[in-house]
Structure formats: C-alpha cells, structure tokens
Amino acid sequence: MKEHENEVLDQDYIGFIQNVKRSTGINLAEYKETQMKRRLTTLRLKYGHQTFSSFYEGMMTDKSLMHEFLDRMTINVSEFWRNPNRWEVLRDNVLPELFGRGSTRLKLWSAACSTGEEPYTLAMILAEQNLFRSSTIVATDIDDGALAKAMQGMYLERSLKDVPKAVAAKYFTEEGSLYRFNEQLKKEVRFQKQNLLTDKFDTEFDLIICRNVMIYFTEEAKHKLYQKFADSLKPGGVLFVGSTEQIFNPGQYGLETAETFFYRKIRG
Ligand SMILES: C[S@@+](CC[C@H](N)C(=O)[O-])C[C@H]1O[C@@H](n2cnc3c(N)ncnc32)[C@H](O)[C@@H]1O
C-alpha cells in the first residue's frame, strides 16, 4: 500500500515538472529533487492543495501563486562581498593577472546575480582599483523579480555588513530604512534575463562569476554547466565559483585551478 502511495505521489510530482517545463521553460528535474520537492511541498500545503496537479492548476489561474512558486524555487539570498576573503583574492591576484595580459578592457559576467549584490561588488572593486576603463559587466538571472530589484538598487543594511566601511560610505546613500547604491556605478552593469540551464551563452569572457546556485543543481546539470562556462571563457579567462562549489577534476573541462574557488581556462 505504502509503495503504491509513493508511486502515485511520484507520478504527481513528475507531471508537475512536465507542466512547469512546458509553461515556463524551467526544468525542475535539473535541480536536486529532495530539496526542491520539500520546498514546493511546504508551499503547496500552505495553500491547501492536496496534490501537485491541483497546485499547478492554482498557479495557472492565480498569478500571485505563480510568482510565489518562482520566488520559492529560485532562492534569491545574496549579500555584498559574500565570503570577503574570496573577493580579496579576486582583487589582489585574479584581476591584476587578467589586466596584466595586456587587456585594457575586460568582459565580465555575473551569472545568477540575484538582486545585484554580486555584480555591484565587482563594480565597486573595479572602481576602487581604478580598473574600470571600458570594461563591461553583464549580470544575468532567471528571476524577473530579482532582476527588477537589482536594477532598483535599494538594499537593507544587513546585506551591506561585509562591505568595508570606507567603501560603503562612498557608494551607498541612506534613504529611510534602506541604502541606495551609487547611480553612476549602477549604470556600468547590464542586467539580462537568462536561464543558465537552457539558454545559449555569450563567449570571450575574461571572468565569469557564478556562485551559490550550482549547489541546487543535479550532478548532470552541473557537469553540463561547467562545460558551457569553460567554452564561454577566453583562454586564460577565469571562472569564480561559490565557497561550497569546488570543481573536482577541472581538467576535464579544460580548466585548471588558479586559486581556491577560481579556475583558469587552459591556454590551448
Ligand atoms: C542564492 S542566489 C545566489 C546569488 C549570488 N550569486 C550570490 O552568490 O550571492 C541563487 C540565484 O540563482 C538564480 N537561479 C536559479 N536557477 C537558475 C537558472 N536555471 N538560471 C539562472 N539563474 C538561476 C536564482 O534566481 C537566484 O537569484
């Protein structure tokens, strides 16, 4: 009996995955199942849906439920200077190496940028090091809501906790209970919607930052993504990953370890 019930539940969730893929292009099967299912089950029960199929019908007729679903599955947590010592390594070792190759203009990408803290951290570091020149920063995410917040550039004090005091004073203005990010630097970041798992990538990047999203993907999805990132880098370009996202055997993607959590594309 128990086994049969489980099978029915699995079919219900599989049907949900197929429907979501058809209507949104998001493939939940490429995210780790246990975590994703747990998060979505909590949301489904909160609205009294006994099955995923009824939950999906609800999402189709109620826009706010669809938004809440997208919100729950994307997990937008971010902060400026997340894991500060990694950004110091970027500033002190990685960027000088990239500029040292004779480039005056770097092509930089913050992939899965959430509400903007990551690309704006990069923008502040470049500005502080006088390295902006005509570099471009592209920042992408799958979530329209997160991108809208990023473009707005208003933050709670807690997301600034790791920003060095002098830097925070220079690039943020207090407005009521929020902090506004510097308008001029904001213009240096170009935000775009993109699904990392299905969309094509631009190429010739000097630096790709992709942190704290790969942990949610299945091993197979991660493997495909590492290869796509490697293909998008210039030879000598660097991929910067999150502090729990070390790549085992980077050589299989044509990458080598430059620093912990930084991988350089091997020059051919
Ligand atoms: C935890 S946040 C990480 C934000 C930032 N990179 C950081 O480390 O602070 C994860 C982000 O990944 C985005 N995301 C999830 N799946 C994605 C996908 N398939 N393509 C692009 N972005 C995705 C979410 O919308 C969310 O904004």
Side-chain angles (χ1 to χ4, degrees):
M1 181 64 189
K2 193 107 189 92
E3 209 166 282
H4 173 68
E5 270 174 21
N6 282 342
E7 243 170 61
V8 173
L9 283 177
D10 282 349
Q11 279 310 319
D12 182 37
Y13 188 62
I14 290 167
F16 180 75
I17 289 179
Q18 287 165 346
N19 284 332
V20 168
K21 190 172 174 193
R22 199 161 6 97
S23 56
T24 69
I26 295 170
N27 186 1
L28 293 172
E30 291 192 287
Y31 291 75
K32 281 182 193 150
E33 182 174 320
T34 327
Q35 290 175 4
M36 182 60 79
K37 206 167 167 182
R38 192 182 328 114
R39 275 206 302 278
L40 296 180
T41 301
T42 313
L43 182 65
R44 165 169 76 73
L45 294 175
K46 178 176 156 193
Y47 288 98
H49 292 282
Q50 291 312 304
T51 62
F52 274 105
S53 120
S54 136
F55 180 51
Y56 181 73
E57 276 171 33
M59 276 164 48
M60 287 291 101
T61 48
D62 177 357
K63 262 201 170 141
S64 67
L65 186 56
M66 177 57 115
H67 282 145
E68 207 169 330
F69 156 73
L70 288 171
D71 223 36
R72 189 63 65 100
M73 66 131 311
T74 50
I75 310 170
N76 298 129
V77 189
S78 191
E79 57 191 45
F80 293 95
W81 254 270
R82 192 171 190 177
N83 311 109
N85 62 349
R86 295 293 95 204
W87 289 99
E88 282 158 22
V89 169
L90 178 81
R91 182 192 62 200
D92 299 339
N93 304 352
V94 178
L95 287 176
E97 181 187 313
L98 292 175
F99 279 107
R101 292 192 326 224
S103 312
T104 49
R105 151 164 224 275
L106 296 188
K107 191 170 166 185
L108 313 155
W109 174 22
S110 163
C113 65
S114 186
T115 37
E117 292 87 335
E118 184 176 277
Y120 290 152
T121 298
L122 180 61
M124 285 186 276
I125 288 176
L126 288 174
E128 281 302 284
Q129 302 295 107
N130 250 331
L131 285 174
F132 234 115
R133 301 173 204 164
S134 43
S135 297
T136 43
I137 303 178
V138 182
T140 61
D141 200 278
I142 197 174
D143 183 352
D144 287 311
L147 289 170
K149 281 193 192 152
M151 287 186 258
Q152 207 183 6
M154 301 292 289
Y155 296 95
L156 290 168
E157 188 174 7
R158 77 173 125 84
S159 61
L160 273 69
K161 73 175 177 30
D162 285 327
V163 182
K165 290 282 167 284
V167 177
K170 208 158 152 187
Y171 298 104
F172 290 91
T173 331
E174 202 172 339
E175 275 183 30
S177 59
L178 297 174
Y179 288 78
R180 177 185 292 281
F181 183 61
N182 181 279
E183 292 295 333
Q184 227 153 0
L185 270 195
K186 210 164 95 175
K187 289 196 197 109
E188 303 288 351
V189 180
R190 193 152 41 87
F191 289 98
Q192 282 167 8
K193 182 171 178 168
Q194 185 196 47
N195 183 342
L196 290 172
L197 298 173
T198 54
D199 292 337
K200 268 184 97 171
F201 292 176
D202 196 0
T203 54
E204 294 293 299
F205 285 104
D206 294 281
L207 174 70
I208 300 174
I209 307 178
C210 186
R211 307 178 73 210
N212 306 304
V213 62
M214 270 135 10
I215 30 164
Y216 302 117
F217 297 155
T218 61
E219 286 307 310
E220 205 187 328
K222 259 193 274 194
H223 176 69
K224 272 197 291 185
L225 191 53
Y226 290 142
Q227 193 58 62
K228 278 172 85 178
F229 281 140
D231 293 343
S232 291
L233 285 169
K234 271 184 195 160
V238 169
L239 171 65
F240 175 17
V241 302
S243 296
T244 52
E245 296 171 323
Q246 213 145 3
I247 305 179
F248 298 102
N249 192 6
Q252 64 181 309
Y253 308 108
L255 300 171
E256 62 187 6
T257 304
E259 304 271 353
T260 316
F261 308 115
F262 292 89
Y263 301 91
R264 188 189 299 111
K265 180 163 175 172
I266 297 168
R267 294 181 185 87

